[in-house]
Amino acid sequence: MLFGWTPTLLLRTQVESCTVELYQVRSLRQLRADALMVPSNRLLWMGARVAKRVRDEAGDLVEEEARRHAPLPPGGVVATGGGMLRVRLILHVNILNEFQIATQDLLTTALDNAFIACEQAGASRVLIPDFTDQLEGWSADRCAQVILGAIRRNARRVRQVLIACWEQEHADAYRQVLSGS
């Protein structure tokens, strides 16, 4: 709980054997998971948008630990400790190509690789923050569809996925996409 405010569970649904929960949050510290997926770039710099929010909540040491693994190829994943978040691992997922553009194919590959890393690390409860703000020109609806596709393809690898949205508009788009799952 953060200053008397608790995350709001907006939706719970099943995707094959995986339970998916959608939350409206003010802070990722409000949720507990084995692993958190964070969108990244090849240099693992966490200075903008979603990655910056994660760094601000987890602490600067997470970025310092991640940057030791740079450069990370497109679609690659590197694990660090969870810092001050209530997660064991943070999976930094490079969603950008060599032109610093996120394509649907690259995001799909990166998410699939992150789910494989979760399985290998024994992380059965996974937290995915809304990536929309990290993806130039993407709508929350499109982002939600790609994330839902990754959950469908990888449902056997994890037991539970928590999706956290800061923005109400984004949460509404995710709820609509997940309701149709």
Side-chain angles (χ1 to χ4, degrees):
M1 183 161 40
L2 183 70
F3 305 113
W5 198 86
T6 58
T8 305
L9 176 63
L10 302 174
L11 178 75
R12 178 179 288 128
T13 189
Q14 282 299 123
V15 176
E16 297 182 28
S17 61
C18 181
T19 301
V20 179
E21 295 178 350
L22 174 64
Y23 288 90
Q24 173 87 41
V25 298
R26 288 193 182 168
S27 169
L28 294 175
R29 290 183 191 160
Q30 297 171 300
L31 298 172
R32 182 183 309 270
D34 298 319
L36 174 132
M37 294 181 191
V38 61
S40 190
N41 55 49
R42 68 187 274 297
L43 297 177
L44 298 156
W45 179 67
M46 300 176 75
R49 303 182 183 105
V50 177
K52 182 179 185 320
R53 283 182 124 158
V54 170
R55 184 197 66 202
D56 290 349
E57 292 188 36
D60 292 339
L61 291 177
V62 168
E63 180 179 37
E64 290 173 23
E65 183 182 353
R67 295 209 46 189
R68 288 186 218 132
H69 299 279
L72 185 63
V77 177
V78 68
T80 65
M84 294 184 292
L85 293 174
R86 294 166 40 166
V87 299
R88 185 168 40 95
L89 301 170
I90 296 178
L91 299 173
H92 303 260
V93 183
N94 185 0
I95 60 170
L96 301 175
N97 65 20
E98 63 275 7
F99 303 110
Q100 299 300 304
I101 297 170
T103 66
Q104 186 161 329
D105 288 343
L106 184 52
L107 181 57
T108 297
T109 298
L111 288 169
D112 288 347
N113 289 340
F115 276 108
I116 291 167
C118 285
E119 182 179 45
Q120 291 171 343
S124 63
R125 183 177 166 108
V126 181
L127 174 57
I128 304 176
D130 172 26
F131 282 15
T132 305
D133 289 339
Q134 198 85 20
L135 303 168
E136 291 272 334
W138 284 51
S139 67
D141 178 74
R142 181 178 179 201
C143 186
Q145 289 175 14
V146 173
I147 288 174
L148 177 58
I151 294 168
R152 280 190 180 122
R153 286 187 308 281
N154 294 282
R156 73 186 190 296
R157 298 185 191 281
V158 296
R159 179 180 46 81
Q160 187 174 26
V161 174
L162 313 176
I163 299 173
C165 292
W166 292 280
E167 315 292 333
Q168 182 64 51
E169 178 183 329
H170 293 187
D172 291 342
Y174 273 82
R175 183 180 359 214
Q176 188 168 352
V177 168
L178 291 169
S179 294
S181 69

